[in-house]
Amino acid sequence: MKTLLFLLLSVLFFTSCITQNRMDRKCRKAKLKYDIATTKWGCPKTQDSTITTSQVIIKDTTIYVPVPGQSVHDSIQVIITKGLMNSPVSLLETTYSRSKAWVENGTLKHTLDQRPSNIPVILPGAIHTTTSNTVQAIKVPYYIDHPISKPLHWWQKLFIWTGVITWWIGVGYVAFRMTKFSRR
């Protein structure tokens, strides 16, 4: 039993995955071969390219300036001639103010009220927005996404079939032990 377990573990150990350091060495070696071949055959070496596009957007903006409300009152004595004592109210209005004037008991009264409001002011070109996009094209000397299929050597086929046969023997052994255990 221990011999079979040791055999299974050794087969699994020798069919393990490749390490990252080994993969990096293979990639460096492939790149070196590519550089040597391009120099030997006189192929032009393509440089990596970077494209940067910038866009500036200038927008107008409107700000509101607050104007505080004010009230102005004034009274002036008027000399009465020929019995003039009172007059109707005279009312004047604008967008931002209102004025009333009248004569009462020989006195001219006048009020000027400024309404509280916001005055819009447009500032041309106040907001500048800059966006830039950078696209970098890196040319890889070998294909990564498209693996090349090539025929296996005889020893590679031997290892594959040895692994398949070992797994079937292991599964058969476990099934045999389970049926033998269930008969007891």
Side-chain angles (χ1 to χ4, degrees):
M1 175 67 180
K2 289 183 181 181
T3 309
L4 183 61
L5 183 62
F6 177 74
L7 182 65
L8 283 174
L9 288 177
S10 6
V11 168
L12 287 176
F13 176 74
F14 287 115
T15 59
S16 64
C17 299
I18 190 170
T19 62
Q20 185 63 38
N21 289 337
R22 188 169 173 208
M23 181 57 81
D24 291 341
R25 283 195 307 264
K26 281 186 168 193
C27 288
R28 281 195 301 270
K29 188 176 178 183
K31 184 167 178 12
L32 181 64
K33 282 183 180 179
Y34 173 78
D35 290 341
I36 291 171
T38 56
T39 305
K40 179 181 177 183
W41 297 103
C43 299
K45 289 190 176 186
T46 56
Q47 298 294 327
D48 298 342
S49 61
T50 303
I51 299 169
T52 304
T53 57
S54 295
Q55 181 180 15
V56 177
I57 300 170
I58 300 174
K59 293 181 180 179
D60 297 342
T61 187
T62 302
I63 62 169
Y64 292 93
V65 179
V67 178
Q70 294 179 347
S71 295
V72 178
H73 301 281
D74 193 12
S75 297
I76 299 173
Q77 288 286 341
V78 176
I79 300 172
I80 299 173
T81 57
K82 297 183 185 175
L84 181 61
M85 295 274 221
N86 294 321
S87 69
V89 176
S90 172
L91 180 65
L92 296 174
E93 290 188 40
T94 63
T95 307
Y96 301 111
S97 65
R98 178 177 56 219
S99 172
K100 289 194 302 186
W102 68 96
V103 175
E104 183 179 303
N105 297 327
T107 305
L108 174 64
K109 295 189 177 184
H110 188 224
T111 60
L112 176 64
D113 296 325
Q114 185 172 343
R115 298 179 184 147
S117 58
N118 289 329
I119 301 172
V121 177
I122 297 176
L123 301 175
I127 299 175
H128 293 271
T129 305
T130 304
T131 59
S132 63
N133 297 329
T134 302
V135 177
Q136 185 175 11
I138 300 173
K139 298 196 171 133
V140 180
Y142 45 87
Y143 291 106
I144 295 174
D145 295 333
H146 306 293
I148 300 171
S149 65
K150 48 187 213 180
L152 298 175
H153 295 287
W154 65 269
W155 56 271
Q156 291 171 328
K157 290 179 186 177
L158 178 69
F159 279 136
I160 291 172
W161 282 108
T162 305
V164 170
I165 292 169
T166 305
W167 276 106
W168 279 110
I169 290 173
V171 169
Y173 179 75
V174 169
F176 175 72
R177 293 292 283 175
M178 293 296 280
T179 57
K180 186 176 178 182
F181 181 72
S182 64
R183 289 183 189 169
R184 284 186 182 179

